[in-house]
């Protein structure tokens, strides 16, 4: 059993970076005047669309787009009249952008010490064919480059800061993933994206702190929207000899450690597999795109009417497909997940020869894959004979309609050819147990081209310069201040920011000379307990707090008791 | 490459910056390193769009973004490489299949096939219709498509003389064996061309399908591919012999409508379902499985293409005027002064103009210049017998356009005048239906313009395609039923 806990990040040459997407506080969406908030009730109307890849500016197709297109999505949209207009419906060109939101991006750039600020806003299109954006592309503009933040006394560089529109949120999929439902409420909401240099973070503790620091900066500056769903993180991870893999949708910072370890382990295993294949002298040419129909090999009645079973030869892979590359998941499964996402054939209906073993990972599942109970020694022997395979070779079979299976097996061969090269650059999705699965090929720069619907935006450079004056104490400076002056920790700082009481804390401690621990306790714990009793604590400001403290001192009561008494009478219940 | 061999062209750059680029031998596609204070940028120099400020250099950086950098004295620009980008299409091997119908696609420009132009920073007509063809490989399983570019004009710049050339090109294609012809056209004036062609073609024996895209083909969400797939199906398989417009029927990518060319109008500036049949139901529709259904029973059927001929005599000296509160009769007078041969007026309500206009109408009558009235509301018939204004107008010789759309009346007037200037004959032609531009009745479903507040409207807007079809890139597509 693989144990991610025992890996050494340093030995692996671990490197990581973040892409933090945070909603900008605004009264409208970036390119239209719809309300920038989310809806949970049933939609006002529905419509459906299909998407196709197009050529990039420099004259080529992006491979990632072609793969997405091969899936042949039918996309169904849920729309709400207040949050969706003809712009989100891709039925009209964009309105003039919300300049306030764009300037918020520049203000954030000053907080993040960005030295290169873009003078002319050029909006670009980044293509997505998964249906998450009705136009098929996201409008995004780069605002600044070359900034930095301080994490645990190390400088982590911010390579890019962009302002862009958010995508729609996925509701569900049907039909083997070929029909997708999206909620358009979120589409078009202005986001700021902070991208860190992925060479700078060398361990997961710093990585997590980096995310926290960036999040704090967005809150302290007042630029970021607060609330559930307003922040999303993607993590870029690579190890030495590996390649950059992006893991999308890491919402919870507590998932970081587990996820990062499991990804480092996966990459390490892929590199080991490449080495093993080289030792076995495998060449890419040996993996042929030939698909063998072996439906006859199965007893009649076992294979559903209208479906077939097809096989591919996988020379020299015996024992490799079954290698565990993430806890509970073998290499074969990782390959199957990609093929399944693209072709629509379920991983349930795929099987590889290493799974005959009693140790096969999928034997532990509560519902076994289709072929597992069917496969036995003599059937295996027959198949090997048919496919002319030796004991050092492997094979893979899949069940389904002819054209679909061929498509799936084709993707498997393609992915296995790449096994010789080690770690493919990919975008992956985080799974609940901390493992990841293929989501799409990483987006290349060929997917970006200028947006011809928006003219170049001339920005007020003096205004941008003036934002420097608005920059307050940054999280790492505050962290130091908290440690040295108040004897409080980083997590205390976080709680205060989270409760929106940092400013009050600093005033009470510095201007009124109150004891930090007492103030902290009041602002975070006491107020929280009041809220639980239904008291509206937003009316309690610095003035009220000082009164309470003075009264408590005067009457020799504990602050807590005083507060209980004071607000017992004034109980307003808010839900 | 030594300095003497270096050929660098700073395309689109102007003024001092251009001078500097020329001096330092830096041009478009040069890979440069820009240093300005603490900021360093590296990227490929792109052609500058005409509307960007003059002292900005646009470069494409490694992440793919385009960045505009203001070049000042203190900036340092160094060329560190050169990378020319060719915007060309992947090669497609086209195979002709005997069992598929031969269709011609005539490209006239517009956003049916388009590309990015750095000069204006906007979308312009593409080089060839093949761009659309290479993006829609499904077409290879529907028909043997011969694309030909006859123009590259934005449809707002279309002129009556282009209608004639288009008609001639279409007839040539029929003579060369095409069983249907598709015309790629900009959506702005598609209806005008459709009307004109309806009058030009006599004994039309096969379909002429006009198609375009509301979202240009350089977008993943473009309606173009679905439109051209449907248009090809109609052109190749429908038992139809009319000039029709084929565009999306609603905001979804589910079905297209088949509109009679003389009764269709672009009713929204940007929506994909902008095209509607006015004062009638559409001829038919084609669904997501490419099944064609006809709704009207007066659809003309295929016949012997040898019998089809053209009558393209035109006189383009026709103007369209609107009637509105305070409009000055001098406008009509000026038109007559300049030498126009005919006028179409969109009259308010049932077709009225202000009584101030009467002297000008009288003059037109005297000079035998036909004035054809159509209704400004677009839907409904003219009727100048109901009110006094109308009766006075009739006495002044105006011609009632019945329920012709302005685009149809305009094209028809141009065609009529091409044959005769005799006012009686012109009137006769204008008031006699040729290709559906005038109907003898209007049914209720011809004006179901809903407001979105109707009871149960949600049932329509919340209904999806009941029989959706999944599509696969390049896979064999089922032949649709006729």
């Amino acid at each position: 059993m693989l144990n991610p806990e025992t890996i050494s990040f340093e030995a692996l040459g671990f490197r990581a970076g973040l892409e933090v997407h945070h909603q900008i506080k605004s009264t409208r969406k970036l390119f239209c005047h719809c309300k920038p908030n989310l809806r949970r009730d049933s939609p006002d109307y529905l419509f459906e669309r299909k998407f196709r890849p197009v050529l990039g500016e420099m004259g080529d197709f992006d491979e990632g787009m072609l793969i997405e297109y091969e899936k042949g999505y039918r996309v169904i949209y849920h729309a709400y009249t207040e949050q969706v207009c003809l712009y989100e419906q891709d039925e009209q060109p964009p309105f003039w952008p919300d300049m306030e939101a764009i300037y918020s991006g520049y203000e954030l750039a000053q907080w993040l010490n960005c030295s290169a600020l873009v003078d002319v806003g050029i909006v670009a299109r980044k293509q997505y064919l998964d249906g998450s954006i009705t136009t098929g592309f996201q409008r995004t503009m780069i605002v600044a480059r070359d900034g930095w933040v301080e994490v645990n006394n190390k400088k982590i560089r911010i390579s890019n800061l962009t302002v862009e529109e958010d995508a729609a949120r996925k509701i569900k999929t049907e039909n083997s993933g070929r029909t997708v439902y999206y909620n358009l409420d979120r589409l078009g909401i202005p986001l700021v994206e902070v991208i860190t240099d992925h060479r700078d973070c060398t361990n997961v503790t710093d990585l997590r702190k980096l995310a926290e620091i960036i999040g704090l900066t967005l809150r302290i500056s007042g630029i970021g929207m607060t609330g559930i769903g307003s922040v999303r993180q993607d993590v870029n991870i690579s190890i030495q000899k590996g390649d950059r893999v992006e893991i999308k949708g890491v919402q919870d910072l507590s998932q970081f450690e587990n996820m990062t370890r499991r990804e480092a382990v996966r990459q390490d295993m892929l590199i080991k597999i490449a080495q093993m294949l080289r030792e076995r002298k495998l060449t890419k040419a040996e993996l042929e795109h030939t698909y063998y129909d072996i439906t006859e090999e199965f007893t009649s009645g076992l294979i559903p009417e209208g479906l077939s079973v097809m096989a591919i030869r996988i020379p020299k892979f015996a024992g490799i497909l079954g290698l565990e590359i993430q806890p509970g998941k073998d290499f074969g499964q990782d390959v199957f997940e990609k093929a399944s996402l693209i072709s629509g054939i379920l991983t349930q209906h795929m099987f590889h020869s290493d799974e005959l073993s009693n140790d096969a990972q999928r034997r532990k599942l509560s519902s076994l894959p289709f072929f597992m109970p069917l496969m036995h020694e003599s059937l295996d022997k027959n198949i090997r004979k048919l496919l002319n395979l030796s004991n050092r070779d492997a094979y893979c079979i899949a069940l389904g309609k002819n054209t679909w299976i061929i498509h799936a097996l084709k993707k498997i061969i393609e992915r296995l050819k790449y096994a010789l090269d080690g770690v493919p650059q990919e975008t992956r999705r985080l799974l609940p147990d901390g493992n990841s699965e293929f989501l799409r090929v990483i987006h290349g720069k060929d997917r970006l081209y200028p947006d011809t619907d928006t003219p170049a935006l001339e920005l007020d450079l003096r205004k941008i310069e003036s934002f420097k004056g608005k920059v307050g104490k940054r999280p790492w400076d505050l962290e130091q201040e908290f440690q040295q002056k108040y004897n409080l920790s980083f997590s205390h700082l976080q709680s205060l920011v989270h409760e929106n009481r940092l400013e009050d804390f600093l005033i009470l401690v510095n201007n009124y000379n109150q004891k930090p621990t007492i103030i902290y306790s009041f602002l975070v714990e006491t107020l929280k307990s009041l809220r639980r009793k239904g008291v509206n604590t937003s009316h309690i400001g610095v003035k009220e707090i000082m009164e309470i403290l003075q009264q408590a001192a005067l009457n020799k009561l504990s602050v807590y008791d005083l507060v209980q008494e004071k607000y017992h009478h004034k109980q307003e219940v808010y839900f | 490459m030594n300095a003497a061999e270096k050929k660098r062209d700073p395309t689109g750059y102007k003024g001092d910056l251009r001078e500097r680029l020329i001096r330092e031998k830096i041009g478009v596609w040069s890979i440069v390193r820009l240093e300005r204070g603490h900021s360093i940028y590296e990227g490929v120099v792109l052609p500058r769009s005409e509307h960007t400020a003059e002292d900005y250099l646009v470069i494409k950086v490694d992440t793919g973004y385009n960045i505009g950098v203001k070049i000042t004295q203190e900036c340092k620009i160094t060329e560190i490489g050169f990378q020319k980008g060719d915007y060309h299409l992947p090669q497609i091997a086209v195979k002709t299949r005997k069992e598929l119908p031969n269709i011609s696609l005539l490209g006239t420009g517009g956003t049916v096939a388009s590309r990015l132009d750095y000069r204006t920073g906007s979308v312009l007509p593409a080089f060839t219709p093949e761009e659309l063809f290479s993006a829609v490989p499904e077409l290879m399983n529907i028909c043997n498509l011969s694309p030909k570019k006859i123009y590259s004009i934005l449809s707002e710049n279309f002129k009556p003389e282009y209608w004639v050339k288009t008609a001639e090109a279409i007839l040539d294609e029929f003579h060369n064996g095409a069983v249907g012809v598709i015309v790629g056209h900009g959506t702005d004036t598609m209806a005008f061309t459709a009307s004109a062609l309806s009058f030009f073609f006599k004994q039309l024996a096969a379909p002429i399908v006009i198609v375009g895209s509301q979202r240009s083909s350089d977008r993943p969400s473009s309606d173009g591919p679905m439109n051209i797939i449907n248009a090809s199906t109609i052109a190749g398989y429908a038992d139809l012999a009319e000039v029709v417009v084929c565009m999306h029927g609603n905001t979804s990518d589910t079905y297209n409508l088949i509109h009679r060319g003389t009764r269709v109008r672009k009713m929204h500036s940007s929506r994909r379902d902008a095209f509607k049949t006015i004062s009638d139901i559409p001829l038919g529709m084609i669904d997501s499985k490419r099944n064609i259904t006809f709704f009207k029973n007066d659809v003309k059927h295929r016949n012997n293409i040898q019998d089809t001929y053209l009558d393209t005599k035109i006189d383009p000296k026709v103007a369209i005027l609107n009637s509105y509160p305070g409009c000055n009769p001098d406008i009509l007078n000026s038109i007559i002064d300049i030498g126009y041969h005919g006028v179409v007026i969109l009259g308010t309500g049932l077709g009225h103009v202000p009584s101030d206009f009467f002297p000008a109408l009288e003059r037109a009558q005297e000079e035998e210049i036909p004035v054809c009235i159509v209704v400004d509301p677009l839907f409904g018939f003219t009727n100048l017998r109901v009110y006094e204004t109308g009766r006075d107008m009739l006495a002044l010789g105006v011609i009632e356009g019945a329920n012709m759309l302005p685009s149809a009346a305009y094209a028809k007037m141009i065609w009529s005048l091409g044959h005769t200037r005799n006012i009686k004959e012109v009137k006769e032609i204008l008031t006699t239906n040729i290709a559906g531009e005038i109907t003898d009745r209007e049914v209720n479903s011809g004006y179901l313009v809903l407001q979105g507040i109707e009871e149960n409207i949600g049932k329509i807007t919340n209904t999806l395609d009941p029989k959706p079809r999944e599509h696969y890139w390049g896979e064999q597509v089922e032949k649709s039923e006729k």
Side-chain angles (χ1 to χ4, degrees), chain A residues 44 46-50 52 57 69 89-91 115 119-120 134-135 140 175 178 448-449 452-453, chain B residues 36 56 65 116 118 135 138 215 218-221 251-253 270 272 461-462 465 470 472-473:
Chain A
D44 296 325
L46 308 174
F47 61 97
E48 61 179 287
R49 296 278 169 77
K50 302 231 166 73
R52 294 178 171 257
E57 179 184 301
Y69 182 69
Q89 227 173 297
D90 185 44
E91 291 290 27
S115 61
D119 310 333
V120 173
T134 47
T135 46
T140 165
N175 202 2
R178 286 182 188 243
L448 273 173
Y449 63 104
T452 45
D453 293 334
Chain B
R36 191 182 69 184
Y56 282 87
Y65 282 95
L116 195 52
Y118 295 106
E138 288 97 323
R215 298 277 89 71
D218 68 291
R219 296 166 181 253
S221 63
T251 190
S252 296
D253 287 332
S270 55
R272 358 164 111 48
T461 60
N462 273 286
D465 192 345
E470 288 168 42
Y472 306 99
W473 175 271

Side-chain angles (χ1 to χ4, degrees), chain B residues 19 24-25 44 121 207 239 266 275 277 310 330 332 359 389 404:
Chain B
E19 302 280 311
E24 300 187 25
K25 295 202 173 47
V44 181
D239 185 10
K266 182 170 177 173
F275 284 83
T277 292
L310 281 179
D330 280 341
L332 181 54
T389 306
M404 278 197 285

Side-chain angles (χ1 to χ4, degrees), chain A residues 514-547:
Chain A
Q514 296 302 308
K515 272 214 177 118
T517 39
I518 293 179
I519 297 300
Y520 174 84
S521 165
F522 185 90
L523 287 173
V524 175
E525 286 146 26
T526 310
L527 288 182
K528 206 184 266 185
S529 76
L530 281 179
R531 273 201 302 276
R532 272 194 221 116
K533 296 204 166 104
V535 179
N536 181 0
T537 57
S538 58
H539 300 324
I540 304 176
V542 168
K543 193 166 140 245
E544 288 77 19
I545 296 173
M546 281 312 296
E547 274 174 27

Side-chain angles (χ1 to χ4, degrees), chain A residues 55-212:
Chain A
L55 298 176
E57 179 184 301
M58 302 304 254
D60 13 23
F61 277 116
D62 182 84
E63 199 216 320
M65 276 162 39
L66 284 176
I67 288 182
E68 281 179 22
Y69 182 69
E70 285 180 79
K71 297 183 220 168
Y73 276 128
R74 175 182 176 218
V75 188
I76 296 174
Y77 294 105
H78 285 201
Y80 300 86
T81 319
E82 273 188 350
Q83 285 74 22
V84 176
C85 68
L86 291 187
Y87 173 70
E88 282 77 26
Q89 227 173 297
D90 185 44
E91 291 290 27
Q92 88 168 63
F95 286 95
W96 195 272
D98 181 10
M99 293 310 292
E100 272 181 47
I102 293 174
Y103 280 118
S104 291
Y106 279 95
E107 199 181 317
L108 184 66
Q110 303 288 26
W111 279 80
L112 298 176
N113 306 302
C114 294
S115 61
L117 297 167
V118 172
D119 310 333
V120 173
I122 296 178
V123 179
R125 295 178 181 176
K126 203 190 228 182
Q127 293 201 351
Y128 288 91
L129 290 204
D130 59 358
S132 63
I133 313 202
T134 47
T135 46
F137 56 81
Q138 175 198 39
R139 288 192 165 88
T140 165
M141 57 177 276
I142 200 165
V143 157
R145 285 151 68 87
D146 303 335
W148 55 269
V149 293
E150 208 182 284
V151 172
N152 293 333
N153 295 314
K154 292 167 221 159
K155 232 186 204 169
I156 307 278
R157 288 170 291 181
I158 307 283
S159 40
N160 287 296
L161 188 80
T162 66
V163 169
E164 54 191 34
E165 46 181 5
D166 205 347
R169 347 186 238 151
K170 198 183 269 197
I171 301 170
K172 61 176 175 178
T173 64
E174 284 172 356
N175 202 2
S176 309
R178 286 182 188 243
T179 303
V180 190
Y181 290 78
Y182 282 97
N183 183 338
L184 285 180
D185 58 1
R186 200 182 69 185
L187 176 64
I189 285 181
L191 288 182
V192 66
E193 187 182 5
V194 179
I195 303 168
T196 72
D197 191 318
H198 109 284
R199 296 164 293 182
D200 290 354
C201 229
T202 55
N203 65 74
V204 71
T205 320
D206 286 349
L207 188 66
R208 181 169 171 165
K209 189 81 175 283
L210 175 62
E212 288 168 337

Side-chain angles (χ1 to χ4, degrees), chain B residues 350-371:
Chain B
L350 291 162
H352 302 134
V353 300
S355 42
D356 283 350
F357 240 63
F358 291 174
L361 290 178
E362 193 167 0
R363 184 191 164 189
Q365 186 182 36
E366 277 159 22
E367 299 192 26
E368 297 207 340
I369 291 174
V371 176

